[in-house]
């Protein structure tokens, strides 16, 4: 069984909706989030620690909201900002600027202790950054960090006043295609979202291993 290591039930719910309850189970463990501007680095280190904790294949999910007018804030600090400010106050900040464009990003980091083959032809900037952060392409040896494979998804949207009861986190203030993510079912959100896109890349790779 593959374990989705997270303290966030919303993430787990979406992962299980996408991958199926037979493929993935939750594992509630608060791995160390290293100080970094890069979600890729945070996720890769988290996956190594989670693998050592669980002792079997794991995915960790590091994600966040990036507001264009604020140079990507709260980004890697999204969890901290949500708990200290709350999403209502993030909207209060967002509505002070004309440009309300934002995006969500999700990095899934998979580790099963096995060496990871280098991606032969990185197709986009995200994949190259992901490969570099994961150290893909280097031969794995015992004294080197555990290999990690990264899958990246992002989605653009607009900050709006909170609407909807579904989803979690910043979903009520993130509008995409006329509805907020909190106004969609998990399946509808997965079909569009940063996490859904990263899960799709993961599932393609996982099924073809
Ligand atoms: P784990 O680290 O235990 O997985 P976490 O909630 O602390 O759980 P992160 O460190 O990745 O996760 O923080 C992500 C933040 O971004 C957090 O405030 C989430 O609520 C928010 N977030 C992530 N994905 C989201 C989504 O799909 N919709 C809305 N908010 C999201
Ligand atoms: Na966290």
């Amino acid at each position: 069984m593959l374990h989705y290591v997270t303290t966030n039930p919303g993430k787990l719910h979406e992962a299980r909706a996408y991958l199926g309850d037979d493929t993935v189970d939750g594992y509630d463990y608060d791995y160390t989030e290293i100080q970094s501007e890069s979600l890729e680095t945070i996720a890769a280190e988290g996956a190594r620690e989670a693998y050592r904790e669980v002792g079997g294949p794991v995915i960790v999910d590091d994600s966040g909201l990036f507001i264009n007018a604020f140079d990507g804030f709260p980004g890697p600090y999204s969890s901290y900002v949500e708990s200290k400010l709350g999403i209502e106050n993030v909207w209060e900040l967002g509505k002070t600027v004309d440009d309300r464009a934002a995006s969500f990003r999700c990095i899934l980091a998979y580790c099963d202790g096995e060496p990871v083959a280098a991606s032969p032809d990185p197709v986009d900037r995200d994949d190259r950054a992901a490969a570099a952060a994961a150290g893909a392409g280097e031969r794995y040896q015992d004294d080197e960090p555990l290999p990690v494979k990264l899958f990246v998804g992002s989605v653009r949207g607009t900050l709006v006043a909170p609407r909807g009861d579904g989803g979690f986190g910043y979903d009520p203030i993130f509008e995409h295609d006329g509805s907020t993510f909190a106004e969609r079912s998990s399946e509808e959100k997965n079909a569009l979202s940063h996490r859904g896109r990263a899960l799709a890349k993961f599932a393609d790779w996982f099924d073809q291993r």
Side-chain angles (χ1 to χ4, degrees), residues 5-8 11 14 29-31 33 61-65 78-79 82 104 168-171 189 194-195:
V5 179
T6 182
T7 62
N8 185 322
K11 289 180 178 178
E14 290 173 14
Y29 173 64
D30 201 8
Y31 57 83
E33 289 197 14
D61 173 331
D62 203 50
S63 38
L65 176 71
S78 293
S79 180
E82 186 192 335
F104 273 127
F168 67 95
Y170 295 94
D171 282 343
K189 182 182 164 188
H194 52 312
R195 181 164 299 99

